[in-house]
Amino acid sequence: MGAQELYEEMKLKLSNVVPDVELRYKAELAYQINQLKAERNAVILGHNYMEPALFYSIPDFKGDSLDLARKAAQTDKDIIVFCGVRFMAETAKILNPTKTVLLPSDKAGCSLAASITAEDVRQLRRRYPGVPAVAYVNTYADVKAEVDICCTSSNAVAVVESLDSDTVIFLPDEYLARNIAQQTGKHIILPTMGGTEQADTTLDVQKVAGSMIGWHGRCEVHEKFTVEDILAVRQQFPDVVVLSHPECSPEVVAASDFSGSTNAMIKYVEQTKAPHYLVLPECAMGDNIAAANPDKEMLRLCMVRCPHMNTITLEDTLKALQLTRYVIDIPEEIRLRAYRSVERMIRIG
Ligand code: SF4
């Protein structure tokens, strides 16, 4: 597809969310990226939180973490360019280690992934011996290597229920743990760590029987949404349908009309007809849904943005392909153990 053709195609989709002057500039960049992608035998994966001009121009596959992990595992291309954040690019490398995996920005971290270390998990497992441990995919490879299985927001309930245990360690997102505990009928416990470890671990395990043992990680984006925000929007738009992500607090989830993974929210909007929608994930996803559903009114709270997802730009994606940067590497011993946890999750679906 030529540069002009690509611009026309983007315009068709994005004229209601991106001004034309920006669209022309970005279409030119996207054209160069697509040329280089073909020359270098690369595949581009784009997370639902990417900004609209990138989202609708360069990814071969778009979706949530679970979708993209599956695509990363299946690709036969030489290079995987991950337009998402670091833990996602690491998951691609865990699943497909012979490929070169590139992350366009070295600043694309995540507050959840940064909230827990492999040593934190080892301490928890020493304190609660025999209790299975689940890590949300929003963790780094060395943390994934220490747990029994991973999960995403779309399969967390199925993963927890697949474990043959009424007590489960669930890391690191406190709010996701609280929401999943509610759905699986468990009581939530947030242990305090870091002091002297308890001597009698048997007693600790008995005390938490039937519980979900969480961690104090938070998504710095979703924790900012409040029930007051929802009430204020409902007051202004009484017919609004509110969609939240389970990384929001249980109170925000309860005040919403629907809660689910980013893919589940996109499907929900596609399959329903409401006068207004408010989506509480990262603001760019609201733009992407608006572009795909021009007949629907999307409200966004763009005062809350993910600083990590926003570091992924078309400019840096072009540089990533030109300079083969930033390459994701994981020590093989860690990758093999992390692979077990991720692969076990993918088998559950
Ligand atoms: S939106 Fe939250 S969970 Fe997602 S990358 Fe940003 S900080 Fe991490």
Side-chain angles (χ1 to χ4, degrees):
M1 187 186 295
Q4 180 63 23
E5 217 181 323
L6 180 60
Y7 160 73
E8 300 288 349
E9 193 182 278
M10 289 168 72
K11 189 174 170 171
L12 219 54
K13 198 118 218 171
L14 299 173
S15 57
N16 62 336
V17 286
V18 184
D20 195 58
V21 60
E22 182 167 313
L23 211 51
R24 279 194 179 280
Y25 166 75
K26 291 192 170 172
E28 178 53 38
L29 277 172
Y31 172 72
Q32 291 178 43
I33 292 168
N34 286 339
Q35 294 284 101
L36 205 50
K37 176 172 72 174
E39 276 169 36
R40 302 214 53 198
N41 195 30
V43 63
I44 298 184
L45 307 180
H47 188 264
N48 289 329
Y49 288 177
M50 291 295 102
E51 61 106 354
L54 185 156
F55 190 74
Y56 284 109
S57 61
I58 58 168
D60 299 283
F61 300 103
K62 301 182 280 229
D64 62 13
S65 318
L66 185 58
D67 283 335
L68 298 179
R70 285 205 186 96
K71 296 299 181 202
Q74 290 159 0
T75 189
D76 59 358
K77 301 284 185 189
D78 297 329
I79 298 174
I80 300 171
V81 182
F82 213 118
C83 291
V85 291
R86 184 175 184 89
F87 73 79
M88 297 176 182
E90 281 194 356
T91 305
K93 186 70 181 177
I94 289 167
L95 289 168
N96 211 337
T98 60
K99 308 299 177 191
T100 300
V101 178
L102 303 179
L103 182 66
S105 165
D106 61 350
K107 296 181 181 63
C110 169
S111 66
L112 274 176
S115 72
I116 191 159
T117 65
E119 181 49 31
D120 291 330
V121 185
R122 286 193 288 268
Q123 271 197 38
L124 273 171
R125 301 207 75 165
R126 282 197 293 272
R127 181 161 165 186
Y128 302 107
V131 176
V134 181
Y136 192 28
V137 282
N138 298 31
T139 45
Y140 292 122
D142 56 346
V143 166
K144 289 183 172 83
E146 298 295 334
V147 297
D148 298 292
I149 187 166
C150 290
C151 75
T152 67
S153 57
S154 54
N155 62 20
V157 171
V159 165
V160 168
E161 287 177 345
S162 77
L163 300 167
D164 189 21
S165 173
D166 63 346
T167 310
V168 172
I169 299 171
F170 189 101
L171 311 164
D173 186 350
E174 176 191 335
Y175 285 159
L176 183 65
R178 286 186 186 278
N179 287 315
I180 300 301
Q182 260 180 25
Q183 289 179 58
T184 53
K186 294 191 192 307
H187 169 72
I188 186 91
I189 286 179
L190 291 176
T192 42
M193 304 291 289
T196 49
E197 280 187 54
Q198 303 264 335
D200 190 348
T201 53
T202 321
L203 206 63
D204 264 1
V205 174
Q206 282 168 2
K207 275 195 278 187
V208 299
S211 301
M212 181 169 277
I213 302 160
W215 190 249
H216 46 73
R218 300 267 184 93
C219 162
E220 67 189 285
V221 178
H222 292 96
E223 73 167 345
K224 292 204 180 86
F225 296 118
T226 64
V227 174
E228 289 68 38
D229 292 335
I230 296 178
L231 293 178
V233 174
R234 286 200 196 279
Q235 195 170 25
Q236 192 182 353
F237 302 93
D239 49 11
V240 69
V241 168
V242 180
L243 293 85
S244 64
H245 193 277
E247 288 166 14
C248 291
S249 73
E251 294 75 23
V252 165
V253 168
S256 309
D257 299 290
F258 178 82
S259 176
S261 68
T262 54
N263 268 11
M265 277 184 256
I266 292 169
K267 246 187 227 142
Y268 184 93
V269 174
E270 279 167 5
Q271 293 171 357
T272 57
K273 183 104 193 86
H276 295 95
Y277 294 90
L278 171 69
V279 288
L280 290 185
E282 216 291 324
C283 169
M285 195 178 106
D287 288 339
N288 293 334
I289 301 179
N293 298 273
D295 56 325
K296 295 182 180 168
E297 289 286 330
M298 301 299 304
L299 307 170
R300 294 82 125 174
L301 292 182
C302 293
M303 59 206 186
V304 181
R305 306 295 309 256
C306 175
H308 311 287
M309 290 284 184
N310 273 294
T311 62
I312 305 293
T313 61
L314 284 164
E315 288 86 344
D316 283 341
T317 307
L318 181 60
K319 280 266 180 275
L321 276 166
Q322 284 169 336
L323 307 174
T324 316
R325 78 173 193 192
Y326 296 96
V327 178
I328 299 291
D329 275 319
I330 302 171
E332 187 60 4
E333 178 270 328
I334 290 177
R335 189 196 69 80
L336 282 172
R337 288 189 294 128
Y339 178 82
R340 249 194 1 237
S341 310
V342 177
E343 208 270 332
R344 196 172 162 196
M345 167 192 79
I346 287 180
R347 267 190 279 130
I348 287 181

